[in-house]
Every structure is written in C-alpha cells, then in structure tokens.
Amino acid sequence: MEPSVYKRLVKFLERAEPRTVHHLTQNTEVPIFNDDYSNLTAEDAFVTNREDSFLQERGNFKHMLTKAREVSCVDWHSAEARDDMVVVSTISNVPLQQRCEDQQQCKSNYSLVWDMGDPMHPKYILESLYEIAVIRFNPGRPNIIVGGCMNGQIVVWDTDRVPAHLAAITQNNANNKFGAKGGANARRGTVIKPVTDIPEMEPPVPGHSEVKEGDTTISRIKPYQFSRIESTHKHVIHDICWVPEGFEFATDGKLVAAAATNQFLTISDDGYVAVWDLRPEFLPQDRQRTLRQKSKGAWEGKPWVYLHKHQLARPDGSGDVMGMRIAMEGRGKDRPTYRLAVTSLEGEFCICSIAPKEDRLVPMSTYDSAAAADAKRVVRQIVKAHAGPGYVVQRHPTIPDVYLTCGDWCFKVWRAGLAAPILTSPSDPQHPNQKITCARWSPTRPSVIFTGTSDGLVQVWDLLDRTHEPVLSHQLIPDPVTCLEFKPIPERRSDKFVQHLVLGTKVGSFHWFSLPRALTRGPNNERTLMENMIEREVRRVVFMEWRWQERETEASGSSGVTFGDAGAAPAVSFLMDPKAGRSGKKGGKGSAAIAAAIEDELNALDTEFEQNDEEEENFKRLVEQFAAEEEKDAKEAEGREH
C-alpha cells in the first residue's frame, strides 16, 4: 500500500472510530428491534388510559320486599369464579318511635339471597321475626347463613334444607331463561308423556315454603336455630365476625386448632362482645343444666346461648364502650392472637384482648406500652377517632397491626398501639356535607382504599400515589351508599382475573360492578413499598408524641405546670390570684403559698431570660468586632500589594 493511501486510511479510521463505537454502544443498550409493548410485564400492565380506569356496572337488583328500605349488609357466597351469589339484608327507614311500634306487631321481615344470573327474582327468601341488621355467610360452609337482629337475637338459616325437587325446578328456571336456546325453544322440544301413576309427594321440610312469582318458584326459608331472648344481647347487633379459619375457642376461652369454621363473634352497643358456636352440644353439660333450671319455660331441644361473653369496660371506669364494628386478628407470628379492633357509636377506636386472664400480660404489638394493670383489662386502648359512629373497622389484608376506620367526613389508618392515626384523609372543600359511610381495603392492591359517600360517590385512594386527594372519583349511583363489599379472591388467580364489587344503597337496591385491570393488579413490590411507607409514618407519629411531651416538660420547667395542656391556663390563673376560690383560712393560705412559689419561679425564669439576652448581645458585639478586624487586615494586605 502506498504511503499516501495508508495515511489517508489511518486518518479516516481515527475520525470514524468514536462515532462507530458510540452507535454500537447505543444499539447494545437500547434494542431497537424489540417490541416494547409486547414485553410489558404484569407490573407495567396497570398503566392504562382513562377509559380503562372506570368501574363497569354489571347489573342492579331490587325487589318489592326491599322497596323503600335501607340495605344494611351485603355478603358474598364464596370466592369461586362462577359463584356470583350474595345475601342482602335490609332495615326500614323509620324513626325510633315508629320502629318501637312496629316491633310490637307480629310481622315477618325478609332478607334475600340473589344469584347474579337472574336479576328479576331472588333465589331464596330468608324469613325472620325481626329486622336483620347484619348477615354473613359461613366461609367454610356457605349453606349456613347467620343474621343479627335489631332486638339482639341471633338467627341461623340453612339453604341445604330446601327440597330436592324445588332445587331442580330453580335450576331449570335459570337454565331456561338464560340458556343458549332460551325457554321457548326448550319447551318446543319437550315431549309430554301421559301420567299413568301418581307419584308420592315428598315429605314437607320444616321451616320451608314455596312462593310463586310469575312462572318462577322461590324458596322461603325460616331459621332453624335462634338464640334465646333472655340469653343474648340486649340491643341491636351491629356486626358479626367469624373466627379465623383453623381456630376455635375452647370452653376455657383459649384458641385451639379446628378443622371447620363453627364459631363467630357478635358486638352490640350494650357493651358486650359474645362468642357463639353453631353446635349447641358444644356447650358444657353443667351450663346446659343451669340454663334449664333458670329457664321459666320448657326448652325445645338443647339450649343455644353464647359460649363466652366479654364486657367492654372503659379503662377509666366511666362505663362501657358502645360497640359498633369488630375485626379479629386471629393469627400471630408464632401463636394465635386474641386481639380485637372495635369502633363504637361514639366514634372511638379501641384495641381489645379477649385472651384468658393468664395470657393477657403478653404484649400485643411492638408499640404496645400498656401497664400491667391495664393489660388485665379487655379494652387495652381507647382513642377518639371520629365525630360520629365508626361505620367500618377492617384489618389490612396483608400487613398485620394496621387497621382502617371511617366515619364523619374522613377515613383513618391506624397502627395498633399508637394513640394517633398514621394517616387521615382530608375532607372535600367542594362537598362540605359529604360523609364517608363505608370503606374497604382492596383485596388485591395493598395501597388502595375504596370509599362510599352519602351522596352516591365512590372514591378510590392510592396511598402510594397521593394522599391529599383520591386518584379516581365516580358518581356511580344517585343514592347514598350504605355498604360496600368485595368478592373474596381465590387462592389461584389467572391473568384474566376480574375483581367484583357490590354497593348497597339507602333505597333498597344494590349494584354489581367489575373493576378494571388497573385497580386489580399493581406492581410486584407494592406491598414492600406500602410497608415502608407505614413504618415511616409510624416513626413520624412516635417522634411527634415524644417531642410534644418534651416540649411540655420544657415549658413547665420545675413548677410542675404543663403549659401545653389546654386546661393548664385556668389552673395557673386560679393559683396566681390568692383571693380566687378561697374557701377557708387553710385553703387560702395554701393557695397564696402556691401562688407565691409560682411567682418566684416565673421571676427566676425572667431573670434567666434577661441574662440570656445579655449574653446574646455580647456575642453579637464580638462577632461584629471580629468582622471589622478581618476587613481592616484585608485592606492593609491590599495596600502592601499596591
């Protein structure tokens, strides 16, 4: 190669090498031939457009038996994908005086079991003598339904006691109405055979009857078990909570392992929490004999009363807590826990323990600082949470010791053992009369909360995104929302899993919605981020409580008067005036002595403050003198250079 050509080649390579390396590096770091949309993972798929973020209504349901009544409770049958069955209880929208007059009359009240496949007719009608305030399916045996009445009684229904021929008729009605060929086509292909022999009628089932609504036959079921009026709550039952799966209470009050779910807890504003067992024979024999002896009338079968009863006495002895909602923890890290979270009609949030007396000294959380004397009580902690009744208390689905409550105009997130909430939602200035009537944690998104308001609004809050406003706000229905319930999630979920939600209203109807993918699936590390945020807020609350106590101590000094307390100022003014409240010579001299001591202490503080001011003035003079000397030295150095 000629020298001139070689030099030109080397010069070209030196000029092109940096550009070539730069573009090769870009191609390596950014693969331009890959499709980014096809490589989206599950944690990136929740980023959708605005249309995919709205709740889709699947249906609304209303019956003539629930017309102009308030939906008090809604519960799902099971977590199976194709099992869209709910039970709905309603109460009348009448004042207290009218309700008392209605209870004197002997008339039936009804709760409905709906199958979402038939929006026109309920599947079962559950009959009771009193209005049902709360109703729940048994999570282990969904055929068992438990309801709490307005008069304090517990009633139990069993849907498996429906006759076999009526169950087949109900299934055929559903298939004919909603099958692929329709009812008319199905009837055309039916061959009517002559009846030669009259079949024998099935024996009647106790507590069961049939009702015809058009061409549909509906089962009307009466309760097969109910509690005795003298051995139950004295006021309305506000909530029912099943004992966590795998546990049950023994006769001595301890939690033991169990194969089936047979026990539940009830709470009422009479100040008691009761533990019930569906098996009347589980009650000890000596207690059964005692009940038979005390009973004025004859028992029909074995008596069914509560297994245990705990009084919610206030720690200060000022009465009992008027319970409203209840949530049970159930399982700890290495042992079962007896902790209960309770809200009251007066807006209080309480942490309780129904453990046996020998187990109540065990601390219930990291931040539980209750004294040994308080540890023996059922109510371990009581905090004022809301200005009205606490409509909801729910434990976080995945994070222990974290609870959600709602009432008045906000919802709050609590950590067990703290005297202040770690998060409080702000009120909406555009809707000052908007009250939050229900709230629920999302079962699939650890940081998402759904709330329902008194003006029919459904709000979605993402605590990791923002806490000053909801991320979504939908006017789904024009009526006030009274209850909100998610369908339980199955153990195994596919990529096409859809979360369902039911809203109850104050006019007797309930609405069925399906959630979009953005509100069902979140990032894979969402739980970790939520736990970190909660721990950060907990540390902030603990620091604020400690700092407030330190400021009170600093302000009070050695006088023992806490100036940070709102009630301290009148006490100081009373003591500063020796003539005020002087009831006698001894009392007057004592007040004058205390006032003189406080005045001397304040004079000493004033003198100390004056000395501090003088020291500060001297320090300022020294700083100014030092700055002047530095400026003088700088000018002398500049003169030497010239």
Side-chain angles (χ1 to χ4, degrees), residues 359-381:
D359 296 340
R360 290 184 185 175
L361 294 178
V362 178
M364 295 192 300
S365 67
T366 307
Y367 302 96
D368 191 0
S369 58
D374 295 336
K376 296 181 180 180
R377 304 177 184 272
V378 174
V379 180
R380 298 286 298 275
Q381 181 186 10

Side-chain angles (χ1 to χ4, degrees), residues 201-362:
M201 296 183 62
E202 295 186 5
V205 177
H208 174 268
S209 60
E210 301 176 4
V211 180
K212 294 286 290 186
E213 287 189 5
D215 58 347
T216 305
T217 304
I218 304 175
S219 300
R220 178 178 291 181
I221 307 173
K222 293 184 179 180
Y224 77 93
Q225 188 169 275
F226 53 88
S227 61
R228 302 287 295 189
I229 190 66
E230 65 270 13
S231 301
T232 185
H233 290 284
K234 305 305 179 185
H235 296 169
V236 55
I237 296 177
H238 291 288
D239 199 8
I240 294 176
C241 174
W242 289 95
V243 176
E245 184 180 1
F247 293 103
E248 68 178 13
F249 285 93
T251 55
D252 57 353
K254 293 185 177 182
L255 279 174
V256 296
T261 304
N262 292 305
Q263 294 182 353
F264 58 93
L265 288 81
T266 58
I267 189 169
S268 175
D269 54 10
D270 60 353
Y272 288 91
V273 171
V275 181
W276 301 79
D277 197 300
L278 294 174
R279 303 160 295 183
E281 63 274 5
F282 193 78
L283 204 65
Q285 295 294 331
D286 54 349
R287 189 175 175 188
Q288 292 186 20
R289 288 193 297 267
T290 304
L291 291 173
R292 291 178 184 275
Q293 294 174 0
K294 291 183 178 181
S295 176
K296 297 181 180 179
W299 290 91
E300 296 181 1
K302 295 184 178 180
W304 189 50
V305 296
Y306 54 83
L307 183 64
H308 303 287
K309 197 173 184 180
H310 304 276
Q311 185 179 6
L312 301 178
R314 298 178 183 272
D316 57 358
S318 59
D320 297 337
V321 176
M322 302 174 65
M324 181 73 175
R325 296 289 186 265
I326 185 173
M328 185 175 181
E329 186 82 14
R331 187 186 299 272
K333 293 182 180 180
D334 53 353
R335 60 181 180 273
T337 174
Y338 300 86
R339 181 192 300 138
L340 300 179
V342 174
T343 57
S344 69
L345 286 175
E346 299 176 350
E348 297 158 327
F349 174 69
C350 310
I351 297 295
C352 309
S353 175
I354 56 175
K357 293 183 179 180
E358 59 271 14
D359 296 340
R360 290 184 185 175
L361 294 178
V362 178

Side-chain angles (χ1 to χ4, degrees), residues 77 134 173 177 274 285 333 501 563-564 602:
H77 186 259
V134 59
N173 291 337
K177 286 186 177 182
Q285 295 294 331
K333 293 182 180 180
L501 174 69
F563 295 100
L602 293 177

